Amino acid sequence: MSRFARRSALSVALPLALLAAAAEAAPAFQMPFPCNQTWSGQTRTNHNPQRSIDFNRSNDLGDPVVASAAGTVSVVRNLGNTSYGKYVVINHGSGWTSYYAHLNSFAVSVGQRVSRGQRIGTVGSTGGSSGPHLHYEQRYNGSATSIKFNGSTVYYYGTRNYTSRNGCGGGGASGTVRTNGANLNVRSGPSTSYSVVGSLANGASVTIQCQTTGQSVSGYYGTSNIWNRIGSGRFIPDAYTYTGSDGFVAPRC
């Protein structure tokens, strides 16, 4: 049974397809700019793709662009004077990618692993751009989705100011251990083959520093291969952790 099914009787009626989609929850996306920077974000119905956003601020040519979530760089490309111009794509796993277009310069290469908040390039006006700005997208299985930062959807359609929390510290998530009453073993790695380094009682509150994939485990919340790091060398299976989501809620380890 999923967390949502336990949380609300309404979710019992959800189609299985929607429950499967929930299992592929988005990464914990942050704005693609350093901590505390404020940018004007514009969305419009004639944007291509429509769910993308353009970011501007004064004198932004050459300003740093950072990864909005951890992942692996899958595209670093220059289309010249057309379309995205210089752009980067980051693959976050589970079907999720993010796009950063019209860049002035690159700071990463294909295949490079990047952390959230790591510099990937600079704001530019390359490709089909009429002035310096960052064109940004979040895609799931190749299709542009409504963009979320800090778990909140950006304003559609119009212009709003947003302040980045990317790299401001914290960045984890809260969870609660849920078992059928027994204590939960804490492992030194994301698998039951790792040594036991402690235990947590049913109902214990934990801070999830980051999440990774490992051994698939069947637990109180169904079957999942997500593991939660709650300290240095301390991992618990997400299948025994209530987080309010069946997917990733913290940065990737």
Side-chain angles (χ1 to χ4, degrees):
M1 182 179 293
S2 77
R3 296 175 183 79
F4 298 130
R6 288 185 178 274
R7 188 175 182 182
S8 168
L10 176 62
S11 61
V12 174
L14 286 174
L16 291 178
L18 291 180
L19 292 176
E24 301 297 341
F29 286 115
Q30 296 286 343
M31 286 180 61
F33 304 106
C35 175
N36 288 331
Q37 289 189 359
T38 298
W39 289 75
S40 174
Q42 181 193 72
T43 56
R44 55 187 186 274
T45 55
N46 64 345
H47 214 167
N48 186 22
Q50 192 178 78
R51 308 308 287 180
S52 55
I53 187 170
D54 282 346
F55 283 109
N56 283 105
R57 70 174 186 169
S58 298
N59 302 315
D60 54 7
L61 180 64
D63 280 356
V65 175
V66 303
S68 56
T72 301
V73 177
S74 58
V75 175
V76 177
R77 186 172 298 159
N78 184 357
L79 297 178
N81 295 323
T82 62
S83 187
Y84 290 167
K86 293 180 179 179
Y87 74 105
V88 168
V89 179
I90 300 176
N91 186 338
H92 306 287
S94 300
W96 287 94
T97 53
S98 55
Y99 281 60
Y100 312 75
H102 306 310
L103 298 175
N104 189 58
S105 63
F106 302 122
V108 291
S109 57
V110 172
Q112 181 177 340
R113 179 73 182 174
V114 294
S115 58
R116 189 174 67 187
Q118 181 173 337
R119 181 170 172 156
I120 62 170
T122 57
V123 174
S125 185
T126 58
S129 171
S130 59
H133 71 283
L134 178 70
H135 171 100
Y136 175 83
E137 303 170 24
Q138 291 171 4
R139 295 192 184 192
Y140 179 64
N141 288 338
S143 297
T145 65
S146 294
I147 292 167
K148 291 185 178 182
F149 300 125
N150 307 316
S152 298
T153 303
V154 301
Y155 177 72
Y156 290 96
Y157 291 94
T159 302
R160 290 288 188 275
N161 286 337
Y162 303 92
T163 299
S164 177
R165 289 173 49 190
N166 199 334
C168 292
S174 298
T176 304
V177 172
R178 286 286 180 256
T179 69
N180 289 321
N183 285 355
L184 177 66
N185 286 331
V186 179
R187 302 279 178 174
S188 62
S191 167
T192 58
S193 63
Y194 284 88
S195 60
V196 176
V197 294
S199 65
L200 293 168
N202 179 40
S205 297
V206 294
T207 298
I208 302 168
Q209 297 177 343
C210 62
Q211 294 176 295
T212 188
T213 54
Q215 178 189 4
S216 185
V217 171
S218 295
Y220 191 85
Y221 293 113
T223 300
S224 175
N225 67 344
I226 299 174
W227 284 71
N228 304 321
R229 191 178 79 182
I230 59 172
S232 179
R234 293 171 59 83
F235 291 81
I236 58 174
D238 197 58
Y240 286 100
T241 315
Y242 176 79
T243 62
S245 171
D246 288 320
F248 289 96
V249 296
R252 301 291 184 93
C253 298

